[in-house]
Amino acid sequence: MSIRIGIMGYGNLGRGVECAVAQNPDMELKAVFTRRNPEELQIWSRTARVVSADKLADWKDELDVLILCGGSATDLPKQTPECAKYFNVIDSFDTHARIPEHFADVDAEAKKSGKVAIISVGWDPGLFSLNRMYANAILPEGKDYTFWGRGVSQGHSDAVRRIPGVKDARQYTIPVESALEAVRAGEDPELTTRDKHTRECFVVLEEGADPAKVEEEITSMPNYFADYDTTVHFITEEEMQRDHSRLPHGGFVLRSGVTGREKENRHLIEYTLKLDSNPEFTSSVLVAYARAAYKMSREGLSGCKTVFDVAPAYLSPKSGEELRASLL
Amino acid sequence: MSIRIGIMGYGNLGRGVECAVAQNPDMELKAVFTRRNPEELQIWSRTARVVSADKLADWKDELDVLILCGGSATDLPKQTPECAKYFNVIDSFDTHARIPEHFADVDAEAKKSGKVAIISVGWDPGLFSLNRMYANAILPEGKDYTFWGRGVSQGHSDAVRRIPGVKDARQYTIPVESALEAVRAGEDPELTTRDKHTRECFVVLEEGADPAKVEEEITSMPNYFADYDTTVHFITEEEMQRDHSRLPHGGFVLRSGVTGREKENRHLIEYTLKLDSNPEFTSSVLVAYARAAYKMSREGLSGCKTVFDVAPAYLSPKSGEELRASLL
């Protein structure tokens, strides 16, 4: 029998989950829940139902795992604890500073209902966190580095779009190659986020807007751009459409550490992601952890978990025997 | 109270574990067990005891985890099941084809004694296996690649040393950069182990040996070298000592996969290790998993496990709260 999946929210992430479920033969998408009028929502799946979010509780015996695809600012802090009353749930809550609070809220509900909830799943937080953790446990004396990019930052793109005279904009965060090489060379440099990244903006102007003025407004914007090496390119709407419609992203997690009687041996652990589609890759991680939530729930576990608490084997459709024979 | 560690076997790996334990403040090395005469074994630790392997069972209440540092060919198949009768144990059994059998033997004993045994811990098998598994679960449609090196292969070095006229030898396995780049570029190449690696030998000759003959014997050796692009360098004993006394190693695990409605988005997951000392890094992984075995045992778990079965948080000295706040 397939693992019965529900999706809450049909934005980039929800559509990515829909695709990812279709790539996993042990799963079946049963329903997409929306706050919009379900009549007006067209989904890609031919078999799943589109259901009003109001009817969620009616589905409590119809789904094995509900994957929450809303945003971290306002959706997930409410939705995840609420949905954990009825379902095993997965979310991608990514406001790092508020994770402890979110964990506590979700844990309380999931313990009461006896469901499994896995929060902050994706690549950062998520796979990057895992790699930081494994590397720290293995090399207790060392330094951590995370670089992001090359990829589109939605927050920075939005900030540029708010400037008067800007019709559309896309901002790429780019790791500084020389900083990355210094880490790889074992130089243990001290690096701020600013030392590690540059920013590149592609901007479509409104008719009659002054490019010099817009460029000045971007490069002087506090927090977002002022302290970074920022490049601005003005392009046409057609170029934006043709060259910048994807949402690529990625990054690097490194740990450089020492071992030995005299700390004379140096080791480098590096984890790299290069992603054509940030939302689709994040969705693929969510779906693997949905399988884990299902398996853990069937073993009688409950409460809130993060990627740190989930034994790797739970993510795989293979049995322990198969994993040991094929992947160990 | 510290986690009380024992080491069985004091070769490169055992000495590495001794160093790694010293880097982990929550652990204490209590004893090194040896099959040699304990009187004749000098260890680096000032506090641990050197004990005859015959006396192992007497220590059953004195250790939390015993780390087995013997070889996979003959030591571990006997030692790990035997020691699991008395201790939580960790080994680095790395004969991939015999893992299922070893698992069954160890599991039977560990279940009987109620101990936790974690086998095949290190980087391959171990961290590389983990990365293959995570990447497969996340990108079900894709291709896996493992490259080894640049590093010293002990088996190949030994094979060269057995050639008449060879006094000492060191063999480096080297990944083929163009093959690695083809994988990174998303070309999904079909690659055999031979396509992915070249071999470089550094050889000290016996007085009067013929270099041309030795080189011919190396490059034509079946299985080991005949089908590889192999380079042979003749060096002096001093150069061997000066430039080749370390045991560096490393490698790359990559998975390239696709997502999306039309499979139009490509993703690359890459995990890289660059290690100055293969045995010391392996030891550091063993020690982190010793912590996991200790924690799992205290939770009442028992039986044989692999890296796939161990939730990441068990490896860390930090609490769940600390991990969520600092590394997620």
Side-chain angles (χ1 to χ4, degrees):
Chain A
M1 213 187 74
S2 297
I3 304 172
R4 301 165 302 168
I5 302 288
I7 292 172
M8 176 66 161
Y10 197 69
N12 280 337
L13 205 56
R15 288 192 295 270
V17 169
E18 182 181 40
C19 287
V21 168
Q23 288 186 292
N24 285 281
D26 62 336
M27 298 186 173
E28 193 186 349
L29 182 64
K30 290 301 220 180
V32 173
F33 298 91
T34 177
R35 283 172 296 189
R36 292 180 263 176
N37 177 356
E39 309 285 317
E40 287 166 18
L41 182 65
Q42 278 285 13
I43 66 170
W44 178 61
S45 161
R46 288 158 187 270
T47 52
R49 300 256 312 266
V50 180
V51 182
S52 167
D54 301 337
K55 302 267 193 280
L56 198 65
D58 299 350
W59 282 69
K60 79 187 187 59
D61 299 319
E62 308 301 319
L63 301 178
D64 295 307
V65 188
L66 180 66
I67 303 179
L68 301 171
C69 297
S72 296
T74 55
D75 298 334
L76 300 176
K78 289 190 175 173
Q79 283 178 357
T80 312
E82 180 64 24
C83 294
K85 292 178 181 169
Y86 312 107
F87 303 99
N88 299 312
V89 294
I90 305 293
D91 82 19
S92 61
F93 187 79
D94 66 359
T95 313
H96 288 260
R98 299 189 58 194
I99 288 174
E101 174 189 348
H102 187 55
F103 183 92
D105 293 346
V106 175
D107 194 47
E109 294 298 345
K111 283 212 172 110
K112 253 188 275 176
S113 64
K115 299 291 182 183
V116 171
I118 313 179
I119 62 161
S120 301
V121 172
W123 58 275
D124 197 2
L127 301 179
F128 274 16
S129 323
L130 271 179
N131 276 282
R132 283 187 282 262
M133 209 231 82
Y134 275 113
N136 270 268
I138 290 159
L139 295 174
E141 296 184 51
K143 284 191 76 164
D144 294 303
Y145 298 89
T146 302
F147 291 76
W148 293 276
R150 185 176 187 261
V152 173
S153 161
Q154 300 277 25
H156 284 76
S157 298
D158 290 344
V160 176
R161 279 191 212 103
R162 284 192 294 266
I163 295 172
V166 171
K167 190 168 184 185
D168 197 4
R170 205 74 85 252
Q171 194 269 185
Y172 294 86
T173 301
I174 302 168
V176 174
E177 195 62 34
S178 60
L180 197 46
E181 286 310 319
V183 173
R184 287 183 181 140
E187 294 170 19
D188 283 358
E190 293 290 337
L191 297 170
T192 64
T193 303
R194 283 167 188 139
D195 298 329
K196 291 187 292 182
H197 302 93
T198 58
R199 302 195 175 280
E200 191 172 17
C201 303
F202 293 85
V203 177
V204 179
L205 291 175
E206 302 274 11
E207 188 88 12
D210 175 2
K213 189 154 172 292
V214 168
E215 178 163 353
E216 169 61 23
E217 286 214 45
I218 294 172
T219 56
S220 64
M221 196 187 294
N223 302 318
Y224 284 86
F225 295 101
D227 301 307
Y228 288 86
D229 178 358
T230 301
T231 316
V232 179
H233 307 278
F234 294 102
I235 60 173
T236 65
E237 219 164 344
E238 293 68 39
E239 287 169 327
M240 179 65 81
Q241 185 69 27
R242 187 190 68 206
D243 302 332
H244 303 283
S245 58
R246 284 183 166 190
L247 292 168
H249 220 311
F252 306 80
V253 172
L254 304 103
R255 186 166 175 86
S256 167
V258 291
T259 65
R261 293 183 183 179
E262 311 289 340
K263 314 285 160 74
E264 70 276 27
N265 289 313
R266 183 171 283 280
H267 310 283
L268 182 74
I269 304 175
E270 177 171 345
Y271 183 76
T272 304
L273 294 176
K274 292 200 176 74
L275 314 174
D276 273 357
S277 165
N278 182 357
E280 283 181 13
F281 186 79
T282 301
S283 300
S284 298
V285 183
L286 288 170
V287 165
Y289 276 93
R291 180 182 294 114
Y294 169 75
K295 290 191 189 180
M296 293 168 88
S297 176
R298 279 177 52 119
E299 289 187 5
L301 297 170
S302 67
C304 190
K305 318 282 177 193
T306 72
V307 293
F308 299 144
D309 308 308
V310 178
Y314 285 121
L315 274 68
S316 176
K318 295 187 177 185
S319 70
E321 289 76 6
E322 289 171 320
L323 287 176
R324 288 191 291 276
S326 65
L327 290 173
L328 194 63
Chain B
M1 213 186 72
S2 297
I3 304 172
R4 299 165 304 168
I5 303 288
I7 292 172
M8 177 68 160
Y10 197 68
N12 281 337
L13 204 56
R15 287 194 295 272
V17 168
E18 183 181 38
C19 286
V21 168
Q23 289 186 292
N24 285 282
D26 61 336
M27 297 186 173
E28 193 185 349
L29 181 65
K30 291 302 224 179
V32 173
F33 298 91
T34 177
R35 282 171 298 189
R36 291 180 263 177
N37 177 354
E39 309 284 319
E40 287 166 20
L41 182 66
Q42 280 283 14
I43 65 170
W44 178 62
S45 161
R46 287 156 187 272
T47 53
R49 300 258 310 268
V50 180
V51 182
S52 166
D54 301 339
K55 303 267 192 280
L56 198 66
D58 299 350
W59 282 71
K60 76 185 189 62
D61 300 320
E62 308 301 320
L63 301 177
D64 295 308
V65 188
L66 180 66
I67 303 179
L68 301 171
C69 299
S72 296
T74 55
D75 298 334
L76 299 176
K78 288 189 175 174
Q79 284 179 358
T80 313
E82 180 63 23
C83 294
K85 292 178 181 168
Y86 311 107
F87 303 100
N88 299 312
V89 293
I90 305 293
D91 82 20
S92 61
F93 186 80
D94 65 359
T95 312
H96 289 260
R98 299 189 58 195
I99 288 174
E101 176 188 347
H102 186 55
F103 183 92
D105 292 347
V106 176
D107 193 47
E109 294 298 345
K111 283 211 172 107
K112 255 188 272 175
S113 63
K115 300 290 182 185
V116 170
I118 313 181
I119 63 160
S120 301
V121 173
W123 58 275
D124 196 3
L127 301 179
F128 274 17
S129 324
L130 270 181
N131 276 281
R132 285 187 281 261
M133 207 231 83
Y134 274 115
N136 271 269
I138 290 159
L139 294 175
E141 295 184 52
K143 284 191 75 163
D144 293 305
Y145 298 89
T146 302
F147 291 76
W148 293 275
R150 184 178 188 256
V152 174
S153 160
Q154 302 275 27
H156 284 77
S157 298
D158 290 346
V160 177
R161 278 190 214 102
R162 284 192 293 265
I163 296 173
V166 171
K167 190 168 185 188
D168 196 5
R170 206 74 84 252
Q171 194 269 180
Y172 294 86
T173 301
I174 301 168
V176 174
E177 194 63 33
S178 60
L180 196 47
E181 286 310 320
V183 174
R184 287 183 181 141
E187 295 170 16
D188 283 358
E190 292 292 336
L191 296 170
T192 65
T193 304
R194 284 168 187 140
D195 297 330
K196 291 187 292 182
H197 302 95
T198 59
R199 302 194 175 282
E200 190 170 17
C201 303
F202 293 86
V203 176
V204 180
L205 291 175
E206 302 275 11
E207 189 88 12
D210 175 2
K213 187 154 173 288
V214 169
E215 177 163 353
E216 169 60 23
E217 287 215 43
I218 294 172
T219 56
S220 64
M221 196 186 295
N223 301 318
Y224 284 87
F225 296 102
D227 301 308
Y228 288 86
D229 178 358
T230 301
T231 318
V232 180
H233 308 278
F234 295 100
I235 60 173
T236 65
E237 221 164 344
E238 294 68 39
E239 287 169 326
M240 179 65 81
Q241 185 69 26
R242 188 189 68 205
D243 302 332
H244 303 283
S245 58
R246 286 184 165 187
L247 293 168
H249 220 312
F252 306 80
V253 173
L254 305 102
R255 186 165 174 86
S256 167
V258 291
T259 64
R261 293 182 183 180
E262 312 289 339
K263 313 286 160 76
E264 70 276 28
N265 289 312
R266 182 171 284 279
H267 310 283
L268 182 76
I269 304 176
E270 177 171 345
Y271 183 76
T272 305
L273 295 175
K274 292 201 177 70
L275 314 174
D276 273 357
S277 166
N278 182 357
E280 285 182 11
F281 186 80
T282 302
S283 300
S284 298
V285 182
L286 287 170
V287 165
Y289 276 92
R291 180 182 293 114
Y294 169 74
K295 290 191 189 181
M296 292 168 87
S297 177
R298 279 179 50 119
E299 289 186 5
L301 298 169
S302 69
C304 190
K305 318 282 177 193
T306 73
V307 294
F308 299 144
D309 307 307
V310 179
Y314 285 119
L315 275 68
S316 175
K318 296 187 177 186
S319 70
E321 290 76 6
E322 288 171 321
L323 287 175
R324 289 191 290 276
S326 66
L327 289 173
L328 196 62

